[in-house]
């Protein structure tokens, strides 16, 4: 009899563990959805990322203040370095073209010689190459002597501040709700 009771307990525990595991998985999947939910700070009305400023104002009412500004981001540019070779005092010009924060082209001009495009170089004592992140290039080569911006992208940012629970500032990019702080 105790053997059957022991088997019965083991089966019940296995079933309970299976149910518990499934509940944990379900809640784990639902949690990020609720964590990303946007609500009106003053009324709790549900908002969706991508809602327009007008839609949010209709649901949440007038904000107590707003802040509008333009955020300009460099899309592509040119960094120019002048590097002196300490062994022979020759000056080397290195031009790096970048696009979306990554190296797109490296051009080297040795004094008195022709310029050439290269895939990689160690002029800055560490290797830099095509597709490296520009923050890596700056960490290796320091700040460039000259910087030219070739293309920018501007985004209109609107911040609406509401009374109520924090976070109470809703952030819009190009008239679309993107987050809060």
């Amino acid at each position: 009899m105790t053997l059957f009771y022991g088997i019965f307990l083991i089966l019940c525990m296995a079933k309970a563990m299976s149910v518990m595991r499934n509940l944990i998985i379900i809640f784990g999947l639902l949690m990020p959805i609720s964590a990303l939910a946007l609500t009106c700070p003053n009324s709790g009305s549900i908002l969706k990322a991508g809602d327009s400023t007008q839609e949010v104002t209709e649901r949440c009412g007038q904000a107590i203040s707003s802040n509008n500004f333009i955020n300009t981001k460099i899309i592509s540019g040119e960094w120019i370095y002048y590097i002196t070779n300490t062994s022979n005092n020759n000056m080397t010009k290195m031009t790096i073209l970048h696009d979306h924060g990554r190296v797109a082209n490296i051009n080297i001009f040795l004094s008195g010689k022709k310029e050439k495009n290269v895939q990689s170089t160690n002029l800055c004592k560490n290797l830099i190459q095509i597709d490296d992140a520009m923050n890596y290039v700056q960490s290796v080569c320091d700040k460039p002597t000259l910087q030219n911006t070739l293309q920018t992208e501007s985004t209109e940012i609107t911040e609406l501040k509401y009374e109520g629970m924090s976070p109470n500032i809703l952030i819009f990019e190009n008239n679309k709700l993107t987050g809060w702080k």
Side-chain angles (χ1 to χ4, degrees):
M1 180 74 168
T2 56
L3 179 61
F4 291 116
Y5 182 68
I7 292 172
F8 176 74
L9 281 177
I10 290 172
L11 290 174
C12 286
M13 288 176 57
K15 183 69 172 168
M17 294 294 279
S18 173
V19 169
M20 185 77 98
R21 185 184 73 239
N22 289 341
L23 285 174
I24 289 172
I25 290 170
I26 289 169
F27 285 124
L29 292 173
L30 292 177
M31 190 108 118
I33 294 168
S34 63
L36 295 175
L38 300 170
T39 59
C40 292
N42 57 356
S43 69
S45 296
I46 301 295
L47 305 172
K48 298 183 310 268
D51 284 349
S52 70
T53 310
Q54 182 180 349
E55 291 170 318
V56 170
T57 303
E58 288 171 5
R59 284 194 210 113
C60 301
Q62 282 300 120
I64 59 173
S65 69
S66 70
N67 182 22
N68 297 310
F69 57 94
I70 302 293
N71 184 20
T72 302
K73 179 169 72 172
I74 296 173
I75 300 299
S76 62
E78 172 184 62
W79 287 7
I80 300 171
Y81 291 90
Y82 292 97
I83 301 165
T84 304
N85 184 336
T86 54
S87 65
N88 59 12
N89 256 0
N90 283 341
M91 181 71 68
T92 301
K93 177 183 176 185
M94 178 172 65
T95 303
I96 298 175
L97 295 177
H98 60 88
D99 186 44
H100 291 88
R102 305 203 80 71
V103 175
N105 185 44
I106 303 170
N107 184 283
I108 296 175
F109 183 80
L110 300 169
S111 58
K113 298 182 181 176
K114 288 187 172 185
E115 61 184 306
K116 62 181 179 177
N117 290 320
V118 296
Q119 293 291 312
S120 63
T121 182
N122 61 357
L123 278 174
C124 297
K125 307 297 183 227
N126 284 329
L127 185 69
I128 59 169
Q129 57 191 354
I130 302 292
D131 206 37
D132 277 347
M134 291 310 290
N135 57 1
Y136 170 74
V137 172
Q138 187 168 348
S139 74
V140 171
C141 297
D142 207 8
K143 291 187 176 188
T145 307
L146 298 169
Q147 292 183 35
N148 297 315
T149 299
L150 301 176
Q151 181 183 3
T152 61
E153 177 180 85
S154 296
T155 305
E156 181 183 339
I157 307 292
T158 301
E159 297 178 343
L160 298 181
K161 183 174 184 174
Y162 286 90
E163 289 188 61
M165 294 178 52
S166 184
N168 62 347
I169 299 175
L170 302 178
I171 302 168
F172 298 81
E173 293 183 18
N174 292 329
N175 197 36
K176 299 293 181 195
L177 182 63
T178 59
W180 68 85
K181 63 179 179 179

